[in-house]
């Protein structure tokens, strides 16, 4: 394990190399910008005491970002790992934590997948056609959001309709038979507002397995992808009450291959349904502001593969996960300079897995069954006080108690503070605790096989827990033309859950692992001229398990550089470079291997023809770099898209 002195010297050195910057730009986050995720109430970033990045609609359009995974690749502290082209299984590691340590929401609806073995969210299928902003709050946030929020909370927000009827249509096409269409209508009438969006994305993609690791003589087969999305949002504004309804459905299908092999007919399909209803009130001159929220999440996944030869594989397995949640949040302004939030949540989630997978060989078939059907409930209370101590000093104190069926209750705490040393210099600090509840599959899953063995969940599992602290400095220079930010962070995680084999050769899940994660996030935003902006960030992450081994798929060093150039009022150009440093992974023999570093360059441009017409273009992996984000899977090759957007109002 590194000594504290050695670690401190490394992270300080890294900060100096990057200009001692921090957290200004997921794409240039404004510290005065109002966000909700960090405190569950509208709060300026500079008053949250948290590490917050905001990806705006302007950035999404400027860079022609298609998916949530695309957008997150440029955020400090976030590592995106894809197992192939668009639509492939995609994981996010926030501040070096596991992929199931990040909670994802859309319009207040939790969308982590209850049907997945770990409960993690797949970032490969979320399109951005209707997204207004993405808020990323790093560090443990369990006090406000409960389980799964150890590494970060990512909250996607769609835009409410306003003004006269507005219709928008977008069409883009490129190589690999790629095309992307979007149609939307939005507006408001008296007290009502509405917004509806439909999108279609299709691409032939490349073959997912890496060429250099494939056996010789195997013909390559493209792994096609289709994504259909529909979303709607309705709102009503009364005198003291505001009501909203949110709905989203995603249907996707992607061709898949065996590990380091080609399979011509195997595919995975999914249907994701997210529904939410929210009623907000404001009474007694704003002293009491209650919010009642009801949400529903359902994820249905199917794996299909029919046997093509006597030794081929068969897969006919189905997974269905659901989550219902009721939340009552009360915001009180009873005392001057205090905003007190008291909340209650009730959540029910269930999983159902059925079907079978058969693997053929010269020694006969090996069949694995899916036989899991279980549900559980969680009840939680939380309390938070946002305090304006003085004009320059603010603090946030919070506590939460979760009581989940199947294991002991969990209590978490959070303290965060921000102090304005000067109008251009702020320091912030936070201590927070987090936890991840064992997934339903880890506790109750049952997967027997034809060898009279089985994976059986462990109902005696404890939650994974974490203690997280961070210390940050935000600094602006030259009347705001240069903004820098730096955050030191440390996260200790205990009782990590892993799968082990028993003496009987059956398998189960146990709490055995620990992890210690330390690092630095550094961001800088520079307005070089009125036409040219530069944004860069760097992340240093030292993630180690109890054996002092680096956690897999998490690079020690990663960096992003964005250049935004506007040569004329109607022209905008953007270029991005994403660098991922060397990291550890696991090969086909389950041995730990070192993966080399790589850098990918993306460029985009758009031109405003008139008030109703915009043309745009994007090229991903401009240099056609051959790289492996995950061992055995190749990154997306050069891909170009050219499109037009028409708008009427």
């Amino acid at each position: 394990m590194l000594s504290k002195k050695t670690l401190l010297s490394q992270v300080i050195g890294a900060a100096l190399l990057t200009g001692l910057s921090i957290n200004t730009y997921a794409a240039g986050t404004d510290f005065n910008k109002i966000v909700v995720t960090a405190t569950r109430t509208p709060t300026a970033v500079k008053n949250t005491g948290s590490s917050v990045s905001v990806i705006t609609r302007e950035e999404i359009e400027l860079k022609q970002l298609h998916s949530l995974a695309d957008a997150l690749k440029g955020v400090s502290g976030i590592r995106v790992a894809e197992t192939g082209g668009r639509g492939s299984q995609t994981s996010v590691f926030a501040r070096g934590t596991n992929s199931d340590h990040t909670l994802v929401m859309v319009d207040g609806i939790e969308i982590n997948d209850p049907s997945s073995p770990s409960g993690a969210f797949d970032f490969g299928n979320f399109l951005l056609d209707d997204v207004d902003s993405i808020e990323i709050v790093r560090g443990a946030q369990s006090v406000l959001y409960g389980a799964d929020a150890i590494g970060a909370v990512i909250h996607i927000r769609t835009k409410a309709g306003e003004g006269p009827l507005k219709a928008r249509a977008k069409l883009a096409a490129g190589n690999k038979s790629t095309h992307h269409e979007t149609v939307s209508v939005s507006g408001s009438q008296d007290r009502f507002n509405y917004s509806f969006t439909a999108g279609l994305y299709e691409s032939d993609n490349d073959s997912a397995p890496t060429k250099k690791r494939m056996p010789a003589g195997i013909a390559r087969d493209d792994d096609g992808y289709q994504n259909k999305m529909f979303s709607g949002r309705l709102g009503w504004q009364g005198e003291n009450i505001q009501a909203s309804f949110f709905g989203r459905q995603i249907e996707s299908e992607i061709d898949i291959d065996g590990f380091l092999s080609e399979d011509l007919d195997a595919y995975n399909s999914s249907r994701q349904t997210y529904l939410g209803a929210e009623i907000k009130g404001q009474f007694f001159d704003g002293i009491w502001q209650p919010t009642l929220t009801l949400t529903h999440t359902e994820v249905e996944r199917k794996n299909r593969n029919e046997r093509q030869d006597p030794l081929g594989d068969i897969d006919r397995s189905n997974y269905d996960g659901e989550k219902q949640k009721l939340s009552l949040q009360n915001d009180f302004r009873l005392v001057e300079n205090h905003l007190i939030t008291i909340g209650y949540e009730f959540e029910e989630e269930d999983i159902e897995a059925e079907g079978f997978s058969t693997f053929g060989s010269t020694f006969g078939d090996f069949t694995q069954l899916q036989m899991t059907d279980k549900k559980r409930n969680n009840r939680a209370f939380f309390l938070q006080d946002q305090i304006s101590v003085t004009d320059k000093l603010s603090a946030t104190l919070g506590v939460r108690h979760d009581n989940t069926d199947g294991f002991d209750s969990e209590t978490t705490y959070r303290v965060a503070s921000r102090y304005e040393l000067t109008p251009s210099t702020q320091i912030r600090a936070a201590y927070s605790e987090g936890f991840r509840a064992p997934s339903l599959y880890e506790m109750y899953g049952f997967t027997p096989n034809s060898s009279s063995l089985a994976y059986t969940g462990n109902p005696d599992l404890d939650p994974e827990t974490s203690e997280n602290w961070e210390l940050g400095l935000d600094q602006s220079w030259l009347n705001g033309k240069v903004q820098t930010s730096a955050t030191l962070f440390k996260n200790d995680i205990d009782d990590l859950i892993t799968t082990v084999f028993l003496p009987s050769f059956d398998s189960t899940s146990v709490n055995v692992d620990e992890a210690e994660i330390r690092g630095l996030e550094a961001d800088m935003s520079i307005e070089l001229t009125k036409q040219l902006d530069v944004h860069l960030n760097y992340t240093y992450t030292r993630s180690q398990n109890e054996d002092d081994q680096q956690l897999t798929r998490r690079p020690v060093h990663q960096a992003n550089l964005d250049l935004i150039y506007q040569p004329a009022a109607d022209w905008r150009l953007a270029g991005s470079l994403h660098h991922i440093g060397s990291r550890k992974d696991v090969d086909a023999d389950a041995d730990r291997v070192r993966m080399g570093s790589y850098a990918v360059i993306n460029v985009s441009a758009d031109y405003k023809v008139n008030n109703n017409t915009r043309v745009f273009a994007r090229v991903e992996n401009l240099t056609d770099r051959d790289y492996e984000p995950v061992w055995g899977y190749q990154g997306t090759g050069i891909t170009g898209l050219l499109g037009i957007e028409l708008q009427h109002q």
Side-chain angles (χ1 to χ4, degrees):
M1 192 74 67
L2 288 178
S3 68
K4 292 183 179 179
K5 182 178 180 180
T6 302
L7 174 67
L8 185 61
S9 64
Q10 287 183 340
V11 295
I12 290 176
L16 292 174
L17 289 173
T18 57
L20 194 59
S21 51
I22 34 184
N23 198 347
T24 33
Y25 190 67
T29 299
D30 180 1
F31 290 129
N32 292 308
K33 187 174 183 62
I34 302 298
V35 295
V36 176
T37 311
T39 60
R40 292 185 71 139
T41 60
T43 308
V45 171
K46 66 181 181 180
N47 293 328
T48 64
S50 300
S51 295
V52 181
S53 296
V54 181
I55 302 171
T56 64
R57 184 69 209 173
E58 182 182 9
E59 180 186 357
I60 292 171
E61 292 183 348
L62 174 62
K63 295 183 178 180
Q64 306 305 323
L65 303 171
H66 295 287
S67 71
L68 181 58
D70 290 338
L72 294 175
K73 288 177 182 177
V75 180
S76 59
I78 302 294
R79 152 72 165 144
V80 178
E82 298 164 303
T83 57
R86 289 214 182 273
S88 61
Q89 176 69 41
T90 302
S91 300
V92 159
F93 303 97
R95 281 188 171 175
T97 59
N98 289 342
S99 58
D100 51 17
H101 289 161
T102 295
L103 179 66
V104 187
M105 300 189 296
V106 56
D107 291 326
I109 307 166
E110 294 184 7
I111 61 177
N112 286 43
D113 184 1
S115 73
S116 121
S118 67
F121 179 72
D122 182 355
F123 288 81
N125 290 315
F126 200 103
L127 300 179
L128 303 179
D129 297 322
D130 63 336
V131 172
D132 184 56
S133 66
I134 305 169
E135 298 178 5
I136 303 103
V137 185
R138 291 178 293 279
Q141 307 296 325
S142 289
V143 164
L144 293 179
Y145 299 103
D148 306 329
I150 286 179
V153 172
I154 297 172
H155 197 168
I156 307 150
R157 296 192 173 276
T158 60
K159 185 175 179 59
E162 59 181 354
L165 172 66
K166 179 187 297 183
R168 182 171 62 97
K170 185 170 72 172
L171 169 65
N175 62 331
K176 303 177 186 175
S177 300
T178 301
H179 60 94
H180 187 187
E181 295 84 33
T182 305
V183 177
S184 67
V185 294
S186 63
S188 61
Q189 181 70 38
D190 297 327
R191 293 179 179 269
F192 293 90
N193 63 76
Y194 56 89
S195 178
F196 300 97
T197 303
L200 171 66
Y201 185 97
E202 289 186 318
S203 179
D204 284 351
N205 278 339
D206 298 315
S207 181
T210 309
K211 295 178 183 178
K212 65 182 180 181
R213 305 197 191 280
M214 289 279 288
I218 294 181
R220 305 289 285 175
D221 171 51
D222 293 337
D223 293 325
Y225 173 60
Q226 181 187 80
N227 185 312
K228 294 183 288 185
M229 181 276 290
F230 175 79
S231 70
R233 176 172 179 153
L234 298 172
W236 176 81
Q237 178 69 59
E239 189 69 28
N240 296 310
I241 297 177
Q242 175 183 329
S244 303
F245 173 80
F246 317 96
R248 188 183 200 90
Q249 182 162 291
I250 304 168
E251 295 186 8
S252 64
E253 181 174 302
I254 184 168
D255 297 335
I256 60 171
D257 294 316
F259 188 58
L260 299 184
S261 65
E262 295 286 346
D263 195 317
L264 302 181
D265 68 336
Y267 68 91
N268 291 347
S269 66
S270 71
R271 175 182 295 171
Q272 303 165 51
T273 304
Y274 310 126
L275 301 172
E278 181 180 84
I279 301 175
K280 290 185 176 182
Q282 182 167 296
F283 306 104
F284 308 113
D285 295 327
I287 292 177
W288 176 38
Q289 298 179 17
T291 302
L292 176 66
T293 306
L294 296 171
T295 65
H296 170 80
T297 296
E298 182 172 6
V299 181
E300 302 172 85
R301 297 183 291 114
K302 296 181 180 180
N303 299 342
R304 293 294 184 267
N305 187 15
E306 298 301 327
R307 176 167 283 175
Q308 301 297 310
D309 60 69
L311 301 181
D313 299 337
I314 304 174
D315 195 347
R316 299 174 189 166
S317 49
N318 305 314
Y319 306 87
D320 188 359
E322 294 187 36
K323 180 185 293 186
Q324 284 72 232
K325 192 165 191 173
L326 179 149
S327 174
L328 176 60
Q329 177 177 323
N330 299 275
D331 300 320
F332 296 98
R333 297 185 181 273
L334 299 170
V335 181
E336 186 178 2
N337 297 326
H338 288 258
L339 174 55
I340 299 173
T341 298
I342 302 173
Y344 169 78
E345 293 180 342
F346 174 81
E347 178 181 276
E348 177 185 86
E349 62 177 342
D350 62 80
I351 180 176
E352 182 176 350
E354 60 181 12
F356 68 94
S357 304
T358 297
F359 309 93
S361 72
T362 55
F363 303 102
D365 288 343
F366 175 83
T367 299
Q368 189 176 68
L369 302 177
Q370 298 294 339
M371 300 176 64
T372 303
D373 188 355
K374 190 67 177 179
K375 67 173 56 179
R376 72 178 174 201
N377 298 330
N378 178 69
R379 302 157 192 84
F381 293 90
F382 59 90
L383 172 65
Q384 177 181 262
D385 188 5
Q386 299 178 65
I387 310 168
S388 298
V389 182
T390 67
D391 291 340
K392 295 184 177 182
L393 176 63
S394 61
T396 302
L397 311 176
V399 61
R400 180 188 181 100
H401 183 78
D402 284 85
N403 187 359
T404 307
D405 295 345
F407 53 86
D408 292 338
S409 59
E410 194 72 31
T411 301
T412 50
Y413 304 89
R414 184 171 188 271
V415 179
S417 182
R418 182 182 288 263
Y419 180 66
E420 182 182 296
L421 288 171
T422 71
S424 59
T425 306
Q426 294 190 0
I427 58 174
R428 51 188 163 79
Y431 169 83
S432 55
E433 297 177 346
F435 79 100
R436 172 188 169 264
S439 71
L440 283 168
Y441 185 79
E442 289 168 338
M443 293 188 73
Y444 308 110
F446 184 51
T447 307
N449 60 51
S450 55
S451 297
S452 299
L453 301 174
Y455 169 87
T456 303
N458 181 0
D460 296 324
L461 286 173
D462 292 325
E464 300 175 347
T465 60
S466 75
E467 293 187 14
N468 178 93
W469 66 259
E470 60 182 79
L471 178 64
L473 171 67
D474 301 331
Q475 177 73 51
S476 63
W477 315 77
L478 303 177
N479 295 321
K481 292 183 181 296
V482 178
Q483 294 184 352
T484 62
S485 186
T487 304
L488 290 168
F489 62 87
K490 183 176 183 291
N491 200 348
D492 293 325
I493 307 176
D494 293 325
D495 291 326
L496 284 168
I497 297 170
T498 190
T499 301
V500 298
F501 285 94
L502 303 173
S504 63
F505 296 103
D506 294 299
S507 59
T508 190
S509 294
V510 295
N511 298 98
V512 294
D513 290 341
E514 297 178 356
E516 182 180 88
I517 304 171
R518 307 182 184 192
L520 165 78
E521 293 164 351
D523 294 62
M524 177 180 285
S525 177
I526 309 171
E527 182 185 332
L528 287 178
T529 69
K530 291 187 179 299
Q531 292 79 33
L532 179 62
D533 288 345
V534 179
H535 310 279
L536 59 94
N537 64 59
Y538 165 81
T539 304
Y540 170 88
T541 308
R542 191 72 176 178
S543 57
Q544 297 169 291
N545 62 19
E546 68 276 10
D547 296 323
D548 292 340
Q549 293 181 320
Q550 181 182 338
L551 300 181
T552 58
R553 299 182 181 175
R554 275 148 275 199
V556 176
H557 306 282
Q558 67 181 72
N560 299 287
L561 171 66
D562 289 322
L563 300 176
I564 298 175
Y565 180 55
Q566 187 165 358
D570 298 330
W571 273 101
R572 295 187 303 178
L573 308 172
S576 300
L577 182 147
H578 305 303
H579 170 80
I580 300 297
S582 63
R583 61 218 172 276
K584 295 294 184 180
D585 210 322
V586 179
D587 65 13
D589 298 320
D591 293 327
R592 290 172 58 88
V593 294
R594 180 184 179 276
M595 304 289 291
S597 62
Y598 64 87
V600 176
I601 298 174
N602 304 321
V603 295
S604 61
D606 71 23
Y607 175 65
K608 184 180 179 181
V609 179
N610 53 49
N611 289 334
N612 300 318
T613 307
R614 181 175 69 98
V615 294
F616 56 88
R618 174 178 166 89
V619 179
E620 298 178 28
N621 195 358
L622 179 66
T623 61
D624 201 18
R625 174 69 185 267
D626 185 15
Y627 66 99
E628 280 182 289
V630 174
W631 193 95
Y633 296 95
Q634 65 179 3
T636 301
I638 186 170
T639 304
L641 281 176
L642 177 65
I644 184 170
E645 181 180 81
L646 304 174
Q647 183 172 286
H648 174 74
Q649 65 178 12

